[in-house]
């Protein structure tokens, strides 16, 4: 994925997080800049978790483990980004809503980007 592809991916992720902040109670984002930083932190934390535990235990993974990891990453990210406030229930609901939105607007994961590069 080229630089412009990464920029578009983070903008789409930030917009999804803003929608989630609007839909989910106990999940609030201060604005677009906070959402953009939150999407960057979530991507970095997901990349680190994938590097340590493998692709099956990432926020981008499917199933209950991926869902719970996604909720944990969202909850932990609030301590890094100012303007983000998430409860545990809010993180679980946000992970659910993000998963549902991802069904309709899939965003490439770092694992998929690495697989695309190796196919060349």
């Amino acid at each position: 994925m080229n630089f412009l592809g990464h920029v578009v991916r983070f903008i789409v992720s930030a917009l999804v997080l803003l929608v989630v902040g609007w839909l989910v109670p106990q999940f609030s984002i201060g604005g677009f800049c906070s959402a953009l930083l939150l999407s960057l932190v979530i991507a970095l934390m997901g990349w680190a978790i994938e590097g340590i535990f493998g692709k099956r235990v990432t926020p981008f993974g499917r199933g209950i483990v991926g869902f719970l990891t996604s909720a944990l990453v969202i909850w932990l990210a609030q301590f890094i980004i100012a303007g983000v406030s998430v409860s545990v229930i809010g993180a679980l609901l946000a992970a659910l809503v993000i998963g549902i939105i991802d069904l309709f607007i899939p965003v490439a994961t770092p694992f998929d980007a690495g697989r695309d590069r190796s196919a060349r």
Side-chain angles (χ1 to χ4, degrees), residues 1-57:
M1 187 181 307
N2 60 14
F3 178 74
L4 185 59
H6 286 295
V7 170
V8 169
R9 181 175 148 218
F10 283 115
I11 290 173
V12 169
S13 296
L15 292 173
V16 166
L17 287 170
L18 286 173
V19 168
V20 169
W22 181 70
L23 289 174
V24 175
Q26 302 180 8
F27 182 91
S28 64
I29 297 178
F32 183 74
C33 289
S34 293
L36 195 60
L37 287 173
L38 183 61
S39 68
L40 179 64
V41 167
I42 289 172
L44 290 174
M45 290 175 95
W47 176 75
I49 290 171
E50 182 178 329
I52 295 168
F53 297 109
K55 67 179 179 179
R56 295 174 71 192
V57 186

Side-chain angles (χ1 to χ4, degrees), residues 32-119:
F32 183 74
C33 289
S34 293
L36 195 60
L37 287 173
L38 183 61
S39 68
L40 179 64
V41 167
I42 289 172
L44 290 174
M45 290 175 95
W47 176 75
I49 290 171
E50 182 178 329
I52 295 168
F53 297 109
K55 67 179 179 179
R56 295 174 71 192
V57 186
T58 66
F60 310 111
R62 302 288 183 230
I64 191 72
V65 174
F67 169 73
L68 292 175
T69 304
S70 180
L72 179 65
V73 165
I74 291 168
W75 184 77
L76 289 174
Q78 76 173 327
F79 300 113
I80 299 170
I81 305 298
V84 176
S85 175
V86 183
S87 70
V88 173
I89 299 296
L92 289 168
L93 290 172
L96 179 66
V97 171
I98 289 170
I100 291 169
I101 290 173
D102 189 44
L103 288 173
F104 299 105
I105 308 171
V107 177
T109 66
F111 175 70
D112 293 336
R115 187 172 24 169
D116 292 341
R117 249 184 276 129
S118 65

